[in-house]
Amino acid sequence: MKRILSFYYRLVPWILRYPAKSFGQRIKILFDYLHLHRTKGLNMDEYYEFEFENRSEEFRKNFLGWTEQGFYLRTLNPIKYYTLARNKYLAHRMLENVGVRKTPLYCYYQTEGKVFDCENIASDLNDVIRILKNKNVQQCVIKSTETSHGEGVIVVKNIEYLDKDCKLHYFNGKEELLSNVLGQYPLLFEGLVEQTKQFAQLNESSVNTVRFMTTLYPDGEARIIATFIKIGRAGKCVDNAGDGGNVDVCVDTETGEIKYAIQYDGWRKIKDIERHPDSGNQLNGIVIDNWEKIKADVVKFQQAFPYCKAAGWDIAITDEGPVVIEVNDSWDRTGQYFIRKGWRNEIKDCYKAWKKVSYNPVVERGSNSFILKQMKKFEKMFK
């Protein structure tokens, strides 16, 4: 009862603020949302952000929302494997060990416990300097092991080794001492990625990654179900909207052609474009070089990482081939906006295949009565 009251307490101001031309339209939107909430578990933010009142019936039917996605991922990406994707250091080592192409890992900095004379792990400033010096590192990317959306990423164009410290020269011209960067949270020091000329032309200051959505089936077959590119803005070092706006394009999975380019400046502030808003370079119509080979490599990446059976791969395209920047076991829904169709059917199909041969995911999380009740409810809702 408390949950129901809380839902309607939030619903009333939400519908009163909803951008609509008339009160009658608000009433229509209200009933439409309540229907989608009941049948698909759609939340208010999803309805508003994806402008469901304007979407086609096909998109509305095949959109995969947060609630339903979480239900499927309980089976496809079990909780016992979460850390293999979410901790960037562990994911790096795991992928590297199974032959997946990654950026070089120079140093993992962590402060819990002293590690003596290790070639990769540092626990204080002196350790980090020793490791970077031994590997003759002049440039690197520094990132947290747990964050996402490009948050906290530091691109270092030059390292100036001092007596008892290092001066980091950033891509944007700023300088900072390494001692000021290190704190209590773990950090990764990785190699810079040099993308192909074709991808650099999309936006030169950022590494413009392709998001590959993949699924893995019990017989070992891996499928690519969606592809799109996140492109940075001029002067930005990351390609993600979390860093203050970006450009996104759909990639035709079959042909590698870029289409549906948009400029994202926030939800409901999205406009269609043909060219990059800063450089003026053409986007729509470009066909990605060596697309078939890139896809074949990504399929192998998914097959080599069976712990996540539905994954979102952020891939940089280099002259040596695709390089994994990050693998996501739980991903946001925005890509469905970029490609202009949902991926519900593909994820649900993979879920059904594994459900036939898999354990009961509830057992792993314990027999909490609330979880069991919710699972039964979702089983009925998403059948």
Side-chain angles (χ1 to χ4, degrees), residues 3 5-15 17 44:
R3 285 176 172 272
L5 289 174
S6 175
F7 171 75
Y8 282 101
Y9 182 78
R10 289 181 288 112
L11 180 64
V12 172
W14 176 80
I15 193 60
R17 291 194 307 266
M44 297 175 209

Side-chain angles (χ1 to χ4, degrees), residues 244-260:
N246 67 343
V247 173
D248 303 281
V249 297
C250 169
V251 180
D252 187 304
T253 304
E254 292 300 316
T255 66
E257 181 183 352
I258 291 175
K259 57 185 181 180
Y260 308 149

Side-chain angles (χ1 to χ4, degrees), residues 259-278:
K259 57 185 181 180
Y260 308 149
I262 61 170
Q263 180 177 330
Y264 176 93
D265 291 317
W267 289 112
R268 302 181 81 96
K269 297 178 183 177
I270 299 170
K271 61 181 180 181
D272 295 334
I273 57 175
E274 285 288 326
R275 299 174 178 274
H276 194 283
D278 302 320

Side-chain angles (χ1 to χ4, degrees), residues 279-296:
S279 67
N281 290 342
Q282 181 68 32
L283 298 174
N284 286 342
I286 292 174
V287 178
I288 298 173
D289 298 335
N290 304 313
W291 183 242
E292 289 301 319
K293 177 66 168 60
I294 291 168
K295 287 196 299 181

Side-chain angles (χ1 to χ4, degrees), residues 209-213 226-230 248-253 291 313-314 332-336 338-339 343:
T209 59
V210 184
R211 168 63 63 89
F212 283 85
M213 300 296 301
T227 45
F228 52 92
I229 306 175
K230 296 171 288 181
D248 303 281
V249 297
C250 169
V251 180
D252 187 304
T253 304
W291 183 242
W313 301 81
D314 289 331
D332 59 30
R333 291 87 62 216
T334 54
Q336 296 171 102
F338 306 152
I339 67 174
W343 49 54

Side-chain angles (χ1 to χ4, degrees), residues 75-113:
T75 294
L76 297 176
N77 300 339
I79 191 172
K80 63 184 177 181
Y81 296 132
Y82 275 14
T83 191
L84 295 182
R86 297 188 184 187
N87 183 290
K88 291 182 175 63
Y89 174 69
L90 294 178
H92 199 295
R93 301 301 292 181
M94 174 67 71
L95 293 170
E96 190 178 64
N97 287 337
V98 295
V100 174
R101 195 179 295 112
K102 285 281 296 175
T103 53
L105 175 61
Y106 298 137
C107 178
Y108 171 50
Y109 165 77
Q110 58 83 39
T111 59
E112 297 183 15

Side-chain angles (χ1 to χ4, degrees), residues 15-30:
I15 193 60
L16 290 176
R17 291 194 307 266
Y18 204 93
K21 294 178 180 178
S22 66
F23 182 75
Q25 188 182 23
R26 280 199 181 91
I27 295 299
K28 183 179 179 180
I29 288 170
L30 173 62

Side-chain angles (χ1 to χ4, degrees), residues 46-279:
E46 289 169 334
Y47 190 97
Y48 171 83
E49 291 170 350
F50 287 85
E51 303 177 45
F52 261 78
E53 72 273 22
N54 299 320
R55 294 290 146 240
S56 68
E57 191 57 37
E58 182 181 3
F59 182 91
R60 291 158 60 92
K61 182 179 179 181
N62 293 320
F63 176 82
L64 183 64
W66 187 257
T67 303
E68 190 173 1
Q69 174 181 299
F71 172 73
Y72 296 143
L73 294 188
R74 284 177 181 270
T75 294
L76 297 176
N77 300 339
I79 191 172
K80 63 184 177 181
Y81 296 132
Y82 275 14
T83 191
L84 295 182
R86 297 188 184 187
N87 183 290
K88 291 182 175 63
Y89 174 69
L90 294 178
H92 199 295
R93 301 301 292 181
M94 174 67 71
L95 293 170
E96 190 178 64
N97 287 337
V98 295
V100 174
R101 195 179 295 112
K102 285 281 296 175
T103 53
L105 175 61
Y106 298 137
C107 178
Y108 171 50
Y109 165 77
Q110 58 83 39
T111 59
E112 297 183 15
K114 177 70 176 177
V115 180
F116 295 97
D117 297 325
C118 181
E119 64 175 13
N120 290 317
I121 302 176
S123 52
D124 57 32
L125 174 64
N126 291 334
D127 279 346
V128 175
I129 293 174
R130 171 181 57 81
I131 291 170
L132 296 180
K133 268 188 173 180
N134 287 345
K135 297 182 179 181
N136 194 29
V137 177
Q138 301 300 318
Q139 298 180 323
C140 69
V141 174
I142 305 174
K143 60 176 73 169
S144 167
T145 60
E146 300 291 344
T147 55
S148 58
H149 301 300
E151 295 172 0
V153 173
I154 299 173
V155 177
V156 180
K157 285 295 188 180
N158 183 56
I159 301 177
E160 184 181 344
Y161 292 97
L162 307 175
D163 241 357
K164 296 181 180 180
D165 210 329
C166 290
K167 185 180 287 186
L168 307 177
H169 298 264
Y170 295 163
F171 85 103
N172 58 5
K174 291 184 179 180
E175 298 176 353
E176 189 170 14
L177 291 176
L178 176 60
S179 56
N180 291 334
V181 174
L182 302 181
Q184 60 179 326
Y185 298 108
L187 295 172
L188 285 184
F189 292 74
E190 295 182 340
L192 289 179
V193 173
E194 188 172 344
Q195 59 194 344
T196 63
K197 288 182 179 179
Q198 184 183 43
F199 269 75
Q201 286 176 350
L202 300 179
N203 183 62
E204 193 172 8
S205 65
S206 59
V207 176
N208 309 298
T209 59
V210 184
R211 168 63 63 89
F212 283 85
M213 300 296 301
T214 62
T215 52
L216 180 69
Y217 283 74
D219 63 359
E221 179 190 4
R223 301 178 187 175
I224 297 173
I225 65 171
T227 45
F228 52 92
I229 306 175
K230 296 171 288 181
I231 303 170
R233 298 296 299 270
K236 297 288 185 179
C237 67
V238 298
D239 60 7
N240 201 287
D243 194 49
N246 67 343
V247 173
D248 303 281
V249 297
C250 169
V251 180
D252 187 304
T253 304
E254 292 300 316
T255 66
E257 181 183 352
I258 291 175
K259 57 185 181 180
Y260 308 149
I262 61 170
Q263 180 177 330
Y264 176 93
D265 291 317
W267 289 112
R268 302 181 81 96
K269 297 178 183 177
I270 299 170
K271 61 181 180 181
D272 295 334
I273 57 175
E274 285 288 326
R275 299 174 178 274
H276 194 283
D278 302 320
S279 67

